[in-house]
């Protein structure tokens, strides 16, 4: 079997977002980057799939210069090499642009039997890039997968729908989007981290890719981006011993009409 | 015919999308893959119901056929219900049509011939409003709009044979056995977080829940990492999204992937021994204290009301 390519996204850690309580303006400049949480499970799923099939795992991302750290992190999780579409437009890309870039990079990589994506990204949680890639490459897509196995050139998967589990199969090459529950995402050990820094990274620029006019322009305009005010009372009951705190809480909940 | 096209494998949600599409003052066309759903949709009064008939019974295999229909009919907007199938189909249709897709829109507005939609990002910390250019695809979760029975429109039913993708084969389906409670309908929820030291201690949460007549949920780490509770009972952006009157978080740190799932609760109570825990920033009432001490006291106090 040929390569398993896992796509991942380098996102801003939401815990570092700063929101001005008065204007609701969002400050992302202090936010550290991280591999999108769900993509960590996807990287491990790809590693397991390629190990069982005796093939190689390749990590692929579309990101700006910021994503450099991401590549080392991703490579410490098992993939043998990484490809990086490096363009600043990644910071403002929508699903249309991202899928165009990744699909074009996958075509350039050429040899693949399985593309693995997380079900959604931790920042946008838009669930669209995986199925879009399948449509662009004209290969089957199986989304929201919680179990999968490869036998020869056929993929057997269990999808999780709202009320049912569905057994689905398709010939490879195919795209799967995986749920985090497919497998844990182990934290890489020191040795793996050191090795990750030495693995090869191939960088693509947009002009290296075979793209059509318009493929690099967003399809939706962002009209506004602001913080949501969680209008909670934030009353901290911190006075007295445990019993007094509980009494105060019960009184408050009665007053709220929820007891 | 030009207009707004709607699809959902969930018939009620499709009714909600039809009601939303009506606000566009354009033609409203429903797309379905079965005669049965087609007849069920008639009560919501779309102008036209397109019944697509192909060889493959997997709904996702109709993405190409839907894209072709939208192109042939010069549709202005495709609204899909944000179910598992709907998200998959919407993204594939958008890719085939080189269209933008606004996912999981909480609200959709038609104004001066333009379409805009608001959606949460960063686990609900931020909201982004996007405006479509040209044909746009939007997915909408259930419960955002009310389905309206509309007898005044007699829907025209158009059946058509279409090509489906033969490459995906559904070989079986089994209902998810819900091991835990249906949290989405619970009026009161006690949530178990990583502040619990061992599985046996969950009895503390269950006793409090019993006193309250509440269901017990948990955070993703409790279900996925520790395996102490069924996956169906974890609350958060990728798990159950709940809206009880009373939500009590025991030993929950309050990461936003979790709190996204409880944001529509009426009253949120956090109990955590760390005064700086994020949960207190999203709680109505917080008790700084040891859950092992607070929860039993709270259970007793509630029993004595």
């Amino acid at each position: 079997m040929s390569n398993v390519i896992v796509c991942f996204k380098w996102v801003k850690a939401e815990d570092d977002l700063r929101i001005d309580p008065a204007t609701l303006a969002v400050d992302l400049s202090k936010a550290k980057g991280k591999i999108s949480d769900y993509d960590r499970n996807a990287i491990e799923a790809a590693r397991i799939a390629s190990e069982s099939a005796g093939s190689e795992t390749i990590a692929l991302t579309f990101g700006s210069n910021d994503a450099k750290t991401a590549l080392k992190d991703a490579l410490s999780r098992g993939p043998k090499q990484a490809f990086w579409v490096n363009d600043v437009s990644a910071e403002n890309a929508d699903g249309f642009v991202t899928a165009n870039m990744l699909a074009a990079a996958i075509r350039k990589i050429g040899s693949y039997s399985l593309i693995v994506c997380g079900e959604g990204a931790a920042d946008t949680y838009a669930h669209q890039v995986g199925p879009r890639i399948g449509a662009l490459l004209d290969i089957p897509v199986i989304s929201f997968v919680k179990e999968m196995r490869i036998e020869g050139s056929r993929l057997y998967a269990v999808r999780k729908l709202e009320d049912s589990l569905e057994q689905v199969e398709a010939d490879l090459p195919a795209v799967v989007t995986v749920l985090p529950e497919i497998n844990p995402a182990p934290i890489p050990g020191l040795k793996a981290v050191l090795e990750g820094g030495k693995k090869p990274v191939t960088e693509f620029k947009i002009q290296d890719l075979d793209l059509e006019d318009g493929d690099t322009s967003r399809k939706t305009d962002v009209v506004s981006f602001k913080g949501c005010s969680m209008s909670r009372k934030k009353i901290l009951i911190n006075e007295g011993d445990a019993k007094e705190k509980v009494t105060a809480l019960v009184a408050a909940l009665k007053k709220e009409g929820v007891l | 015919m030009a207009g707004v096209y709607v699809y959902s494998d969930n018939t009620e949600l499709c009714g909600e999308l039809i009601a939303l599409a009506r606000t566009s003052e354009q033609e409203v066309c429903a797309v379905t893959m079965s005669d049965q759903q087609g007849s069920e949709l008639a009560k919501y009064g779309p102008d036209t119901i397109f019944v697509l008939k192909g060889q493959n019974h997997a709904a996702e295999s109709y993405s190409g056929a839907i894209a072709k229909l939208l192109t042939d009919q010069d549709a202005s907007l495709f609204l899909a219900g944000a179910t598992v199938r709907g998200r998959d189909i919407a993204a594939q249709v958008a890719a085939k049509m080189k269209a933008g897709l606004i996912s999981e829109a909480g609200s959709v507005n038609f104004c001066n011939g333009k379409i805009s939609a608001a959606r949460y990002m960063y686990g609900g910390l931020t909201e982004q409003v996007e405006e479509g250019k040209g044909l746009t695809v939007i997915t909408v979760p259930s419960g955002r709009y009310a389905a309206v029975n509309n007898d005044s429109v007699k829907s025209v039913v158009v059946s058509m044979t279409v090509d489906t993708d033969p490459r995906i084969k559904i070989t079986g389906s089994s209902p998810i056995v819900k091991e835990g409670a249906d949290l989405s309908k619970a009026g009161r929820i006690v949530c178990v977080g990583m502040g619990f030291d061992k599985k046996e201690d969950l009895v503390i949460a269950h006793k409090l829940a019993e006193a309250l007549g509440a269901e017990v949920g948990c955070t993703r780490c409790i279900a996925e990492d520790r395996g102490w509770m069924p996956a169906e009972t974890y609350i958060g952006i990728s798990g159950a999204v709940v809206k009880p009157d009373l939500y009590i978080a025991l030993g929950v740190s309050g990461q936003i992937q979790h709190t996204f799932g409880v944001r529509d609760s009426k009253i949120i109570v956090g109990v955590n021994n760390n005064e700086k825990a994020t949960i207190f920033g999203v709680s109505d009432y917080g008790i700084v204290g040891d859950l092992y001490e607070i929860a039993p006291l709270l259970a007793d106090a509630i029993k004595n009301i």
Side-chain angles (χ1 to χ4, degrees):
Chain A
M1 195 177 90
S2 53
N3 302 320
V4 175
I5 300 177
V6 58
C7 303
F8 70 94
K9 185 175 185 183
W10 187 243
V11 300
K12 300 279 190 194
E14 60 279 345
D15 293 346
D16 298 336
L17 255 61
R18 292 185 188 179
I19 295 167
D20 184 317
T23 63
L24 294 180
V26 183
D27 178 7
L28 287 166
S29 64
K30 304 280 191 310
K32 288 197 272 302
K34 62 170 181 180
I35 293 181
S36 174
D37 307 51
Y38 310 98
D39 293 351
R40 294 180 213 161
N41 302 80
I43 293 170
E44 177 69 358
R47 192 193 64 76
I48 292 169
S50 56
E51 197 173 86
S52 75
S55 66
E56 190 169 294
T57 315
I58 292 174
L60 170 65
T61 194
F62 168 43
S64 64
N65 275 327
D66 262 8
K68 209 159 206 163
T69 326
L71 295 157
K72 273 188 198 165
D73 186 348
L75 287 169
S76 70
R77 293 165 189 272
K80 292 278 185 279
Q81 59 169 319
F83 288 82
W84 171 27
V85 182
N86 180 2
D87 196 81
V88 69
S89 66
E91 289 174 9
N92 186 36
D94 62 356
F96 169 77
V97 172
T98 304
N100 287 339
M101 296 294 178
L102 294 174
I106 291 166
R107 279 197 205 98
K108 202 165 168 72
I109 294 168
S111 166
Y112 58 88
S113 52
L114 182 66
I115 313 291
V116 182
C117 298
E119 55 153 324
D123 53 354
T124 58
Y125 208 54
H127 309 101
Q128 51 173 294
V129 168
R132 273 184 186 268
I133 290 172
L136 292 171
L137 297 173
D138 195 22
I139 57 176
V141 177
I142 305 181
S143 57
F144 301 93
V145 167
K146 75 185 284 278
E147 290 167 37
M148 66 172 165
R149 67 174 207 279
I150 293 163
E151 282 178 25
S153 62
R154 200 147 173 90
L155 175 74
Y156 298 84
V158 178
R159 297 176 80 200
K160 189 174 177 184
L161 277 67
E162 283 74 14
D163 298 317
S164 62
L165 298 178
E166 191 170 76
Q167 284 80 43
V168 190
E169 49 182 90
D171 276 338
L172 299 174
V175 173
V176 289
T177 75
V178 298
L179 296 168
E181 67 199 71
I182 191 164
N183 47 243
I187 298 166
L190 183 62
K191 187 164 169 267
V193 171
L194 292 172
E195 281 171 7
K198 293 177 196 150
K199 291 178 182 171
V201 174
T202 307
E203 184 178 332
F204 293 143
K205 295 285 185 194
I206 284 188
Q207 52 272 25
D208 300 331
L209 301 175
D210 187 15
L211 293 161
E212 290 176 22
D213 285 350
D215 280 357
T216 57
S217 309
R218 281 186 69 98
K219 283 288 179 185
T220 62
D221 290 326
V222 176
V223 180
S224 68
F225 176 62
K226 60 179 175 42
C228 291
S229 52
M230 257 281 222
S231 53
R232 293 288 167 185
K233 296 191 178 76
K234 300 179 196 173
I235 296 170
L236 209 54
I237 302 172
N238 211 0
E239 297 289 311
D241 63 14
K243 200 155 187 192
E244 285 161 343
K245 287 177 186 172
V246 167
T247 307
L249 175 64
V250 170
L253 294 181
K254 269 194 202 162
K255 209 170 165 190
E256 295 282 358
V258 293
L259 277 186
Chain B
M1 103 207 35
V4 178
Y5 284 67
V6 306
Y7 164 77
S8 180
D9 54 319
N10 175 326
T11 304
E12 171 81 17
L13 175 51
C14 198
E16 296 169 17
L17 298 179
I18 290 167
L20 164 61
R22 277 284 165 223
T23 65
S24 70
E25 298 178 356
Q26 298 178 44
E27 289 280 317
V28 177
C29 304
V31 179
T32 176
M33 296 112 186
S34 80
D35 287 321
Q36 193 197 333
Q37 193 191 33
S39 59
E40 287 167 10
L41 290 173
K43 69 171 182 279
Y44 301 118
D47 296 299
T48 307
I49 299 170
F50 287 95
V51 184
L52 308 186
K53 294 184 171 177
Q55 294 291 317
N56 192 337
H57 70 281
E60 291 80 359
S61 71
Y62 284 77
S63 306
I66 293 173
K68 182 173 185 305
L69 175 73
L70 299 176
T71 306
D72 291 348
Q73 301 291 333
D74 194 23
S76 63
L77 174 68
F78 178 49
L79 291 174
T83 61
V84 169
R85 291 196 198 291
R87 289 167 182 158
D88 186 326
I89 291 171
Q92 292 202 53
V93 167
K96 287 172 199 288
M97 303 192 71
K98 290 182 171 279
L101 164 55
I102 307 173
S103 307
E104 323 267 315
S107 65
V108 179
N109 286 295
F110 301 91
C111 186
N112 301 328
K114 288 195 167 167
I115 175 96
S116 64
R119 63 183 313 272
Y120 291 124
M121 284 176 46
Y122 292 100
L125 271 186
T126 67
E127 186 189 62
Q128 178 158 296
V129 177
E130 296 179 36
E131 194 171 87
K133 291 187 277 197
L135 177 122
T136 303
V137 181
I138 299 179
T139 61
V140 182
S142 65
R144 292 288 158 188
Y145 294 87
V148 180
N149 286 349
N150 183 353
D151 298 335
S152 64
V153 178
K154 175 117 180 61
S155 307
V156 176
V157 178
V158 179
S159 283
M160 44 176 54
T161 305
V162 297
D163 291 330
T164 46
D165 185 342
R167 299 174 298 184
I168 292 172
K169 194 171 155 197
I170 298 177
T171 54
S173 171
S174 51
I176 292 175
V177 182
K178 305 264 183 198
E179 295 172 57
D182 184 357
L183 294 173
S184 65
K185 294 188 178 70
R188 291 172 179 177
I189 293 174
V190 172
C191 183
V192 173
M194 294 291 268
F196 281 82
D197 293 330
K198 51 186 191 296
K199 191 178 178 185
E200 293 70 48
D201 298 342
L202 299 191
V203 67
I204 294 169
H206 284 283
K207 280 193 174 157
L208 174 58
E210 200 181 310
L212 280 164
E215 303 292 353
V216 180
C218 65
T219 60
R220 188 177 142 198
C221 291
I222 292 290
E224 300 284 341
D225 297 345
R226 293 193 177 166
W228 290 354
M229 288 181 62
E232 292 81 44
T233 58
Y234 89 72
I235 297 168
I237 192 166
S238 59
V241 176
V242 300
K243 42 181 175 184
D245 288 336
L246 177 60
Y247 167 82
I248 300 181
L250 299 177
V252 172
S253 63
Q255 284 183 22
I256 58 170
Q257 286 90 348
H258 174 72
T259 55
F260 180 85
V262 300
R263 57 182 303 133
D264 290 332
S265 305
K266 187 176 171 202
I267 296 291
I268 295 178
V269 176
V271 178
N272 200 302
N273 56 11
N274 175 6
E275 194 174 341
K276 296 202 168 66
T278 317
I279 191 73
F280 293 127
V282 292
S283 295
D284 295 289
Y285 297 94
I287 291 188
V288 181
D290 183 355
L291 74 90
Y292 284 88
E293 191 181 4
I294 301 292
L297 285 171
L298 185 55
D300 287 343
I302 286 160
K303 275 189 238 161
N304 292 332
I305 287 176

